[in-house]
Amino acid sequence: MLVCLATIAALSASGPRASALSVSRRAATFTRASELSMVGVGTKLPDLLLFEGQPEFAKATEYSLAELTKGKTVVIFAVPGAFTPGCSKSHLPSFIAGFDALTAAGVELVICTATNDPYVMEAWGREAGVKPGTILMLSDKSAALCRALGVASEADPMVRSDRYALIAKDGVVTAWLPAAMPDGEKKSENTYCPAVLAAL
């Protein structure tokens, strides 16, 4: 969809030749995101801030990722966008349904992140039925996390994260579960809760 919008904008602004070049560059940007992934077993999570939106538009709460994950077994899963079909119908619901199984398996914190702003993340979690005290819905609003991990798709109108899940113990990745395969195929189910449970 984003590439289609870019095509329309380019056609109206610069003509066919410029549009083709623009679209080619944008498409290449999308491809490079998964190719440049810098995550694997043993990767230390970056120390940066993520944000939790609050009800009634109260000020968002800041969290240090390093402090959140220190001394804990943590699951982080990222989605390309809140309120999008696959994320709302499959990805987030898999973790809502599997939350108790994760905690029974020793997971102490579950984080869902996307580059949407904190208030969109809060509203999405509430709408999806995330219970308080379960999944922490955190905004990577500056795309700092997905860029640090090498899984950012740099595109207008917003940077989006590639879909992935990871398990970290004391801030160090012990399992990395991306949707993007080395051959370019995308398997979203690799990032859902059952796959995470199998990797614990």
Side-chain angles (χ1 to χ4, degrees):
M1 176 63 75
L2 294 175
V3 174
C4 292
L5 291 173
T7 305
I8 294 169
L11 282 169
S12 61
S14 307
R17 182 178 179 184
S19 350
L21 289 170
S22 174
V23 171
S24 174
R25 287 168 185 155
R26 289 174 188 271
T29 300
F30 278 107
T31 302
R32 285 197 300 269
S34 59
E35 291 175 352
L36 292 176
S37 173
M38 296 176 280
V39 194
V41 172
T43 300
K44 185 173 178 59
L45 293 175
D47 186 9
L48 45 77
L49 293 177
L50 298 174
F51 302 85
E52 182 185 29
Q54 301 299 316
E56 304 300 326
F57 305 105
K59 184 179 179 181
T61 301
E62 293 183 355
Y63 288 98
S64 159
L65 184 61
E67 288 301 315
L68 275 179
T69 58
K70 185 177 181 180
K72 298 186 184 76
T73 298
V74 178
V75 168
I76 301 174
F77 66 99
V79 300
F83 289 107
T84 54
C87 307
S88 298
K89 291 180 179 179
S90 302
H91 202 169
L92 178 55
S94 79
F95 283 92
I96 295 173
F99 181 81
D100 289 343
L102 289 170
T103 56
V107 174
E108 298 162 88
L109 180 65
V110 180
I111 297 171
C112 173
T113 184
T115 56
N116 299 92
D117 70 62
Y119 303 102
V120 170
M121 291 297 289
E122 187 276 331
W124 184 42
R126 181 162 31 86
E127 177 72 18
V130 174
K131 295 178 181 178
T134 59
I135 300 168
L136 199 54
M137 305 293 291
L138 297 185
S139 166
D140 181 22
K141 64 180 183 178
S142 63
L145 177 58
C146 60
R147 283 174 172 151
L149 299 180
V151 292
S153 288
E154 305 279 351
D156 294 330
M158 67 182 287
V159 180
R160 294 184 183 270
S161 175
D162 282 357
R163 192 184 302 280
Y164 68 83
L166 65 82
I167 302 167
K169 294 185 179 181
D170 196 23
V172 177
V173 175
T174 58
W176 170 244
L177 307 168
M181 299 291 98
D183 61 2
E185 184 182 0
K186 290 191 177 180
K187 295 184 177 180
S188 296
E189 63 273 18
N190 286 356
T191 69
Y192 295 171
C193 190
V196 173
L197 283 165
L200 283 167

Short mmCIF file of all heavy atoms in Angstrom, two decimals, residues 3 8 22 29-31 66 68 79 100 107 110 122 129 132 149 154 157 169-170 176-177 185 188-189 194:
data_model
loop_
_atom_site.label_atom_id
_atom_site.label_comp_id
_atom_site.label_asym_id
_atom_site.label_seq_id
_atom_site.Cartn_x
_atom_site.Cartn_y
_atom_site.Cartn_z
N VAL A 3 3.95 1.57 -1.04
CA VAL A 3 4.63 1.71 -2.32
C VAL A 3 3.67 2.24 -3.37
O VAL A 3 4.01 3.06 -4.20
CB VAL A 3 5.25 0.37 -2.76
CG1 VAL A 3 5.83 0.47 -4.16
CG2 VAL A 3 6.34 -0.04 -1.79
N ILE A 8 1.85 6.94 -6.88
CA ILE A 8 0.90 7.99 -7.28
C ILE A 8 1.53 9.35 -7.09
O ILE A 8 1.47 10.23 -7.95
CB ILE A 8 -0.40 7.86 -6.46
CG1 ILE A 8 -1.10 6.56 -6.83
CG2 ILE A 8 -1.31 9.05 -6.72
CD1 ILE A 8 -2.24 6.21 -5.90
N SER A 22 12.01 6.55 -8.38
CA SER A 22 11.59 6.74 -6.99
C SER A 22 11.04 5.45 -6.40
O SER A 22 11.40 5.05 -5.30
CB SER A 22 10.53 7.85 -6.91
OG SER A 22 10.03 7.95 -5.61
N THR A 29 14.49 -0.05 -0.41
CA THR A 29 14.56 0.24 1.02
C THR A 29 13.80 -0.82 1.80
O THR A 29 14.29 -1.32 2.82
CB THR A 29 13.95 1.62 1.30
OG1 THR A 29 14.70 2.61 0.60
CG2 THR A 29 14.01 1.95 2.80
N PHE A 30 12.61 -1.20 1.35
CA PHE A 30 11.84 -2.23 2.04
C PHE A 30 12.63 -3.54 2.07
O PHE A 30 12.66 -4.22 3.08
CB PHE A 30 10.51 -2.46 1.31
CG PHE A 30 9.46 -1.46 1.68
CD1 PHE A 30 9.08 -0.47 0.79
CD2 PHE A 30 8.85 -1.50 2.91
CE1 PHE A 30 8.12 0.46 1.14
CE2 PHE A 30 7.88 -0.58 3.27
CZ PHE A 30 7.51 0.40 2.37
N THR A 31 13.28 -3.90 0.97
CA THR A 31 14.02 -5.15 0.90
C THR A 31 15.18 -5.15 1.88
O THR A 31 15.43 -6.14 2.55
CB THR A 31 14.56 -5.36 -0.53
OG1 THR A 31 13.47 -5.36 -1.43
CG2 THR A 31 15.30 -6.67 -0.64
N ALA A 66 16.59 -1.27 28.84
CA ALA A 66 17.62 -1.97 29.62
C ALA A 66 17.11 -2.28 31.02
O ALA A 66 17.33 -3.38 31.55
CB ALA A 66 18.89 -1.13 29.69
N LEU A 68 13.91 -2.49 31.96
CA LEU A 68 12.78 -3.42 31.87
C LEU A 68 13.25 -4.86 31.78
O LEU A 68 12.62 -5.77 32.33
CB LEU A 68 11.93 -3.11 30.64
CG LEU A 68 10.84 -2.05 30.75
CD1 LEU A 68 10.15 -1.89 29.40
CD2 LEU A 68 9.82 -2.41 31.83
N VAL A 79 5.20 -5.56 15.68
CA VAL A 79 4.25 -5.61 14.56
C VAL A 79 4.47 -4.40 13.66
O VAL A 79 4.91 -3.35 14.13
CB VAL A 79 2.79 -5.66 15.07
CG1 VAL A 79 2.55 -6.88 15.93
CG2 VAL A 79 2.43 -4.39 15.84
N ASP A 100 -0.82 -16.75 29.63
CA ASP A 100 -0.69 -17.61 30.82
C ASP A 100 0.32 -18.73 30.59
O ASP A 100 1.08 -19.10 31.49
CB ASP A 100 -2.04 -18.19 31.21
CG ASP A 100 -2.98 -17.15 31.80
OD1 ASP A 100 -2.48 -16.07 32.21
OD2 ASP A 100 -4.20 -17.40 31.85
N VAL A 107 8.39 -16.91 31.60
CA VAL A 107 8.50 -15.55 31.06
C VAL A 107 7.95 -14.56 32.08
O VAL A 107 6.85 -14.72 32.59
CB VAL A 107 7.74 -15.43 29.72
CG1 VAL A 107 7.74 -13.98 29.23
CG2 VAL A 107 8.35 -16.36 28.67
N VAL A 110 6.12 -9.58 28.94
CA VAL A 110 5.81 -9.66 27.51
C VAL A 110 5.56 -8.24 27.01
O VAL A 110 4.73 -7.51 27.56
CB VAL A 110 4.58 -10.54 27.24
CG1 VAL A 110 4.28 -10.59 25.73
CG2 VAL A 110 4.78 -11.95 27.78
N GLU A 122 -1.98 2.27 23.12
CA GLU A 122 -2.86 2.06 24.27
C GLU A 122 -4.27 1.72 23.82
O GLU A 122 -4.92 0.79 24.32
CB GLU A 122 -2.87 3.31 25.16
CG GLU A 122 -3.61 3.16 26.48
CD GLU A 122 -5.12 3.39 26.37
OE1 GLU A 122 -5.52 4.17 25.48
OE2 GLU A 122 -5.88 2.81 27.17
N GLY A 129 -8.43 -6.22 23.81
CA GLY A 129 -8.72 -7.00 25.00
C GLY A 129 -7.50 -7.37 25.83
O GLY A 129 -7.54 -8.33 26.60
N PRO A 132 -5.00 -5.37 31.87
CA PRO A 132 -3.95 -4.66 32.62
C PRO A 132 -3.05 -5.65 33.34
O PRO A 132 -3.49 -6.66 33.86
CB PRO A 132 -4.75 -3.81 33.62
CG PRO A 132 -6.10 -3.63 32.98
CD PRO A 132 -6.36 -4.90 32.23
N LEU A 149 17.97 -2.61 15.84
CA LEU A 149 17.99 -4.05 15.54
C LEU A 149 18.14 -4.33 14.05
O LEU A 149 18.25 -5.49 13.65
CB LEU A 149 16.71 -4.70 16.06
CG LEU A 149 16.46 -4.63 17.57
CD1 LEU A 149 15.16 -5.33 17.93
CD2 LEU A 149 17.62 -5.22 18.36
N GLU A 154 12.23 1.83 6.15
CA GLU A 154 12.25 3.30 6.07
C GLU A 154 11.40 3.74 4.90
O GLU A 154 11.81 3.64 3.75
CB GLU A 154 13.69 3.79 5.89
CG GLU A 154 14.66 3.31 6.94
CD GLU A 154 14.60 4.13 8.22
OE1 GLU A 154 13.93 5.18 8.23
OE2 GLU A 154 15.23 3.72 9.21
N PRO A 157 4.50 7.17 4.87
CA PRO A 157 4.60 8.35 5.75
C PRO A 157 5.19 8.03 7.11
O PRO A 157 5.34 8.92 7.93
CB PRO A 157 3.14 8.77 5.89
CG PRO A 157 2.40 7.46 5.84
CD PRO A 157 3.14 6.62 4.85
N LYS A 169 17.09 -12.94 27.91
CA LYS A 169 17.32 -13.20 29.33
C LYS A 169 18.39 -12.23 29.82
O LYS A 169 19.49 -12.19 29.26
CB LYS A 169 17.75 -14.65 29.54
CG LYS A 169 16.64 -15.64 29.19
CD LYS A 169 17.01 -17.09 29.50
CE LYS A 169 15.86 -18.03 29.16
NZ LYS A 169 16.17 -19.45 29.47
N ASP A 170 18.02 -11.44 30.82
CA ASP A 170 18.91 -10.41 31.36
C ASP A 170 19.44 -9.50 30.25
O ASP A 170 20.61 -9.12 30.23
CB ASP A 170 20.08 -11.06 32.11
CG ASP A 170 20.82 -10.07 33.01
OD1 ASP A 170 20.23 -9.03 33.39
OD2 ASP A 170 22.00 -10.31 33.30
N TRP A 176 15.76 -15.65 18.41
CA TRP A 176 15.38 -14.61 17.45
C TRP A 176 14.47 -15.24 16.41
O TRP A 176 14.85 -16.18 15.73
CB TRP A 176 16.63 -14.01 16.80
CG TRP A 176 16.37 -13.10 15.64
CD1 TRP A 176 16.74 -13.28 14.34
CD2 TRP A 176 15.69 -11.83 15.68
NE1 TRP A 176 16.33 -12.23 13.57
CE2 TRP A 176 15.68 -11.33 14.36
CE3 TRP A 176 15.07 -11.11 16.70
CZ2 TRP A 176 15.08 -10.11 14.04
CZ3 TRP A 176 14.48 -9.89 16.37
CH2 TRP A 176 14.49 -9.40 15.06
N LEU A 177 13.23 -14.73 16.32
CA LEU A 177 12.20 -15.33 15.47
C LEU A 177 11.64 -14.29 14.51
O LEU A 177 10.61 -13.67 14.76
CB LEU A 177 11.08 -15.90 16.35
CG LEU A 177 11.52 -16.87 17.46
CD1 LEU A 177 10.38 -17.13 18.42
CD2 LEU A 177 12.03 -18.17 16.86
N GLU A 185 10.97 -14.99 1.62
CA GLU A 185 9.60 -15.35 2.00
C GLU A 185 9.31 -14.86 3.41
O GLU A 185 10.21 -14.78 4.25
CB GLU A 185 9.43 -16.87 1.94
CG GLU A 185 8.01 -17.34 2.21
CD GLU A 185 7.87 -18.85 2.19
OE1 GLU A 185 8.89 -19.54 1.96
OE2 GLU A 185 6.75 -19.34 2.42
N SER A 188 4.70 -15.15 8.86
CA SER A 188 4.27 -14.44 10.06
C SER A 188 4.11 -15.36 11.24
O SER A 188 4.38 -14.98 12.39
CB SER A 188 2.95 -13.70 9.78
OG SER A 188 3.12 -12.71 8.80
N GLU A 189 3.67 -16.60 10.98
CA GLU A 189 3.42 -17.53 12.08
C GLU A 189 4.68 -17.85 12.88
O GLU A 189 4.61 -18.29 14.03
CB GLU A 189 2.80 -18.83 11.56
CG GLU A 189 3.67 -19.64 10.61
CD GLU A 189 3.56 -19.24 9.15
OE1 GLU A 189 3.06 -18.12 8.86
OE2 GLU A 189 3.98 -20.05 8.30
N PRO A 194 2.74 -19.39 19.75
CA PRO A 194 3.12 -20.81 19.77
C PRO A 194 4.57 -21.04 19.38
O PRO A 194 5.25 -21.92 19.95
CB PRO A 194 2.16 -21.45 18.75
CG PRO A 194 0.94 -20.57 18.80
CD PRO A 194 1.49 -19.19 18.95
#
